[in-house]
Amino acid sequence: MVDLKKRIDAREAVAGIIGLGYVGLPLAVELARANVRTIGFDVDVRKVSELAAGRSYIPDVPSEHVAEVVNAGLLIPTTDPASLAEADVIDICVPTPLRKTKDPDLSYVVRAVETTAAVLRRGQLVILESTTYPGTTDEVVKPALEANGLKAGIDFYLAFSPERVDPGNPTYHTRNIPKVVGGLDEASTQVASAFYQLVMDTVVPVTSTRAAEMVKLLENTFRAVNIGMANELALMCHRMGIDVWEVIDAARTKPFGFMPFYPGPGLGGHCIPIDPFYLSWKAKQFNFEARFIELAGQVNGSMPAHVVTRVAEALNAHRKPVNGSKVHVLGVAYKRDIDDVRESPALDIVELLLRQGATVTYSDPHVPEIDHGPHQMKAVSVDAAVAADVDCAVIITDHKAFDYPRIVASFPLIVDTRNALKGIKSEKIFGL
Ligand code: SAJ
């Protein structure tokens, strides 16, 4: 199978990307821009037709790049899985959510692997990028691919490489984020490394698929646990009458051995609240309880209720119950300056406030409406909220686009969960 590495190095090998979302599309476009013929497969016909028309739907991927490679016949967007038969390298970039029971949901991966198995032939390389627990590639992907009789490591190469896409990051993008790669065997690691070297400046080989799977989970568990600690510190400081933000800002002056994490209204996004539970779920199979992950999940998960308690305390200072009060949420995206509301704590906070009888409105320049389960709400402007005489505003997402001095001047009470009003002193401002 040595031939594949030669064909990759000569940019003759054809790439196939399964899943053209915020991970797969940037990779597909960069491969095509590196002159690698790339079959871009997705089940979503809207995505494929947008790409075929030379349009991008991922902010970090300019439409000009899409048009350039599609017109040059270097990126072939398709919903036809049979098209992947042409690919020498098949790279799976599909979602790995959690079920409501916090168990891993590998259904997208299984479907993508079945699609791959249908076109699997000798000499191909298959790579899984979807974030998942250590063992997925060896225990789930490998047997599914070998069902037709071909043998991983003998007839085809197999590897795992964690995605490290950070949507909206102005500095780090596909090419300059080091890429970790772990193969079923040394040859698979080498061939997969050669593939990524076509696009990435730095490739970091590790000795197994499990190590590569664990790298990603360490990266994101590290964040979830440290954010949990920052949130617990905030609860402690609130109880002790200490300004947690001042403490963190002073601690970060330590030039070594410290990395700041900040308290907030809870943990949102499709990575940090989810990835660690892939790890703790797998650890249980080894009779190991990942206590830090579970504890961080409890602390981070308790923040939305804590925010609602702070809103109640703020209203109480004005002798107003939550029930019947008008509360205006500022920012519903899961983090600043993006439009993604997946797992956003704002949705939990809205739900809790509505349950306590508050009338809730929201402003978010990036999110015109939310349609999340029981929530169907349209954004209103800050002016409209002010005109509606709301009783309390609560800053959940500290978008740069908000005019904070105006917010302080306009609302009778403000709960600030992000220290967005840093340095502004006022009786009407309540922190976490
Ligand atoms: N958050 C805090 N306090 C913090 C940092 C984050 O409350 O100190 C909250 C955010 O508001 C958000 C959630 O945690 O609700 C997650 O924030 P995040 O900054 O981790 O951003 P994500 O979810 O977009 O994480 C992605 C991850 N990228 C990948 O998995 C490839 C993560 O590994 C990156 O480190 C992160 O982006 C990043 O640094 O932007």
Side-chain angles (χ1 to χ4, degrees):
M1 290 197 291
V2 176
D3 161 66
L4 178 55
K5 186 173 180 310
K6 278 207 194 90
R7 298 188 61 233
I8 288 173
D9 291 343
R11 292 173 198 262
E12 290 161 6
V14 174
I17 307 293
I18 299 183
L20 301 176
Y22 81 91
V23 174
L25 182 62
L27 178 60
V29 169
E30 287 308 313
L31 281 163
R33 293 182 75 213
N35 252 341
V36 175
R37 182 175 161 78
T38 300
I39 316 288
F41 170 77
D42 201 293
V43 293
D44 183 344
V45 68
R46 285 165 307 168
K47 286 191 170 74
V48 169
S49 47
E50 278 295 284
L51 296 174
R55 286 192 296 271
S56 169
Y57 42 81
I58 300 282
D60 293 341
V61 179
S63 290
E64 298 73 34
H65 292 180
V66 173
E68 173 199 322
V69 292
V70 167
N71 297 340
L74 284 166
L75 174 60
I76 299 91
T78 178
T79 55
D80 175 11
S83 311
L84 290 162
E86 186 192 346
D88 300 296
V89 180
I90 295 183
D91 197 312
I92 301 172
C93 304
V94 296
T96 42
L98 275 182
R99 300 185 196 290
K100 282 279 164 252
T101 50
K102 282 207 189 299
D103 293 333
D105 174 3
L106 289 182
S107 58
Y108 296 93
V109 168
V110 168
R111 196 164 70 173
V113 170
E114 284 163 357
T115 299
T116 305
V119 297
L120 193 65
R121 55 181 159 75
R122 272 193 177 67
Q124 275 178 322
L125 162 63
V126 178
I127 304 172
L128 177 63
E129 289 215 1
S130 309
T131 303
T132 185
Y133 59 81
T136 302
T137 306
D138 296 354
E139 298 161 9
V140 176
V141 178
K142 178 171 175 286
L145 291 175
E146 292 179 327
N148 302 342
L150 293 179
K151 198 93 183 78
I154 310 284
D155 302 305
F156 63 93
Y157 300 103
L158 181 59
F160 181 85
S161 176
E163 62 89 358
R164 281 179 166 173
V165 177
D166 186 25
N169 191 315
T171 314
Y172 294 107
H173 43 76
T174 307
R175 288 183 170 281
N176 67 0
I177 297 173
K179 195 81 165 94
V180 170
V181 188
L184 183 77
D185 52 21
E186 176 57 28
S188 296
T189 304
Q190 280 176 6
V191 175
S193 300
F195 173 67
Y196 285 117
Q197 269 148 15
L198 294 174
V199 169
M200 275 87 179
D201 300 343
T202 311
V203 175
V204 181
V206 293
T207 56
S208 68
T209 60
R210 290 165 192 268
E213 289 159 339
M214 185 61 100
V215 164
K216 170 72 179 191
L217 294 178
L218 169 60
E219 289 167 6
N220 284 0
T221 299
F222 165 76
R223 291 185 70 75
V225 169
N226 279 288
I227 293 164
M229 188 192 68
N231 282 325
E232 184 169 74
L233 199 79
L235 300 176
M236 231 186 278
C237 284
H238 173 58
R239 191 75 62 90
M240 297 174 166
I242 297 170
D243 178 343
V244 67
W245 304 96
E246 176 190 21
V247 167
I248 295 168
D249 280 348
R252 64 179 294 189
T253 60
K254 182 180 178 190
F256 49 83
F258 182 76
M259 178 177 180
F261 286 87
Y262 299 96
L267 215 44
H270 42 280
C271 304
I272 309 304
I274 289 166
D275 300 348
F277 291 101
Y278 268 73
L279 181 55
S280 60
W281 177 85
K282 187 63 177 177
K284 284 193 188 97
Q285 291 181 2
F286 291 82
N287 283 326
F288 190 93
E289 194 203 347
R291 286 171 291 168
F292 278 103
I293 293 173
E294 300 300 335
L295 180 59
Q298 288 162 25
V299 173
N300 291 326
S302 75
M303 294 313 286
H306 173 73
V307 169
V308 173
T309 301
R310 294 294 287 140
V311 170
E313 288 167 359
L315 288 166
N316 189 52
H318 283 199
R319 292 194 173 78
K320 291 179 181 173
V322 174
N323 194 351
S325 289
K326 292 181 199 167
V327 179
H328 188 64
V329 170
L330 291 163
V332 293
Y334 81 81
K335 71 176 183 179
R336 80 157 64 126
D337 304 337
I338 62 166
D339 62 2
D340 194 340
V341 295
R342 279 178 290 185
E343 304 291 322
S344 174
L347 302 175
D348 300 321
I349 290 162
V350 167
E351 173 76 22
L352 289 169
L353 287 167
L354 289 170
R355 263 197 235 146
Q356 292 193 24
T359 301
V360 183
T361 52
Y362 85 90
S363 297
D364 189 314
H366 305 281
V367 185
E369 58 184 1
I370 46 179
D371 181 10
H372 171 81
H375 310 294
Q376 268 80 35
M377 291 167 77
K378 287 195 183 313
V380 301
S381 68
V382 172
D383 290 343
V386 173
D389 269 342
V390 301
D391 301 296
C392 180
V394 51
I395 301 170
I396 301 296
T397 312
D398 48 338
H399 292 310
K400 290 197 185 75
F402 284 134
D403 176 348
Y404 291 107
R406 186 160 167 341
I407 285 169
V408 175
S410 309
F411 291 102
L413 279 172
I414 303 138
V415 176
D416 177 7
T417 71
R418 297 285 194 174
N419 200 35
L421 306 179
K422 179 175 181 177
I424 303 177
K425 292 285 171 239
S426 163
E427 287 296 303
K428 59 181 170 175
I429 298 174
F430 287 66
L432 262 183

